[in-house]
Amino acid sequence: MGSLANQTLPMINFSEENFKAGSSSWVSTSKDVVRALEDYGCFIATHTNFSSQLHEAIFRASKELFDLPTHLKTLNTSDKPSHGYVGQDAIKPLREALGIEDATTEEGVQRFTTLLWPSGNDSFHETVVEYSKVVGGLDGVVIRMVCEVYGIRSSYESLHMKRRRTFFDS
């Protein structure tokens, strides 16, 4: 059995070129995605639409969110497991997560923002909306690529719609 110590996660670059379904770049990237998921269960994605400014902004927004007092974060509840506030766990004391229902929509992010900041937080809201659109779009592309490689293209729409309910996790 080999050692995992020297292995690194595959890095896959997503650009406008490999977003064109059916192009040779799309097919090649699709195969890379599936190989990475089969071999590692994940990969590092780089994306031309994910600017360094957005990267910095989402980390600032995350810090601002997780710096809120616990009693405010626990206001975020959900009937779905792990979609509200998750934290204060003796087994994983450093883990905290906050689910944002319908995170890829303005309305979903607004509900979440208003819950935690009743007087509003425009910077947080705008950053999360922009981030969710980029990540949600990338998620859709990856799901479609996997479905096409496995020959289950007809399952793409239902899988993609189920995954649209992204959440904010740390």
Side-chain angles (χ1 to χ4, degrees):
M1 185 191 259
S3 169
L4 294 178
N6 294 328
Q7 293 187 4
T8 58
L9 292 175
M11 185 172 293
I12 300 174
N13 180 39
F14 290 89
S15 64
E16 294 306 315
E17 179 60 33
N18 57 19
F19 270 28
K20 294 176 186 167
S23 69
S24 61
S25 181
W26 170 277
V27 171
S28 173
T29 303
S30 298
K31 290 176 183 174
D32 292 344
V33 164
V34 169
R35 186 173 26 262
L37 293 173
E38 288 175 345
D39 293 347
Y40 295 89
C42 61
F43 56 86
I44 298 170
T46 59
H47 192 310
T48 56
N49 291 344
F50 196 86
S51 67
S52 59
Q53 292 85 1
L54 180 56
H55 181 92
E56 291 168 12
I58 198 62
F59 274 95
R60 279 192 308 273
S62 297
K63 180 169 178 14
E64 187 176 5
L65 175 63
F66 287 105
D67 283 348
L68 287 171
T70 302
H71 75 275
L72 288 177
K73 293 182 277 193
T74 59
L75 295 173
N76 185 40
T77 61
S78 176
D79 294 333
K80 297 177 184 178
S82 300
H83 276 246
Y85 173 73
V86 177
Q88 308 303 303
D89 184 346
I91 296 172
K92 297 181 246 171
L94 299 178
R95 180 173 190 256
E96 257 190 324
L98 286 145
I100 302 176
E101 293 293 325
D102 300 317
T104 56
T105 67
E106 289 270 348
E107 299 79 18
V109 176
Q110 187 59 53
R111 278 192 306 272
F112 181 82
T113 303
T114 302
L115 176 68
L116 297 176
W117 291 279
S119 57
N121 185 333
D122 292 341
S123 174
F124 178 86
H125 175 264
E126 291 166 11
T127 297
V128 172
V129 166
E130 183 180 356
Y131 174 82
S132 294
K133 285 181 181 177
V134 172
V135 172
L138 182 58
D139 180 69
V141 167
V142 169
I143 292 295
R144 182 173 174 184
M145 287 177 163
V146 170
C147 287
E148 287 182 4
V149 169
Y150 285 130
I152 56 169
R153 173 80 168 94
S154 61
S155 300
Y156 164 71
E157 286 300 323
S158 65
L159 286 171
H160 181 57
M161 292 312 291
K162 286 178 185 176
R163 293 183 53 80
R164 285 188 56 136
R165 305 227 184 257
T166 58
F167 57 94
F168 214 74
D169 197 345
S170 171

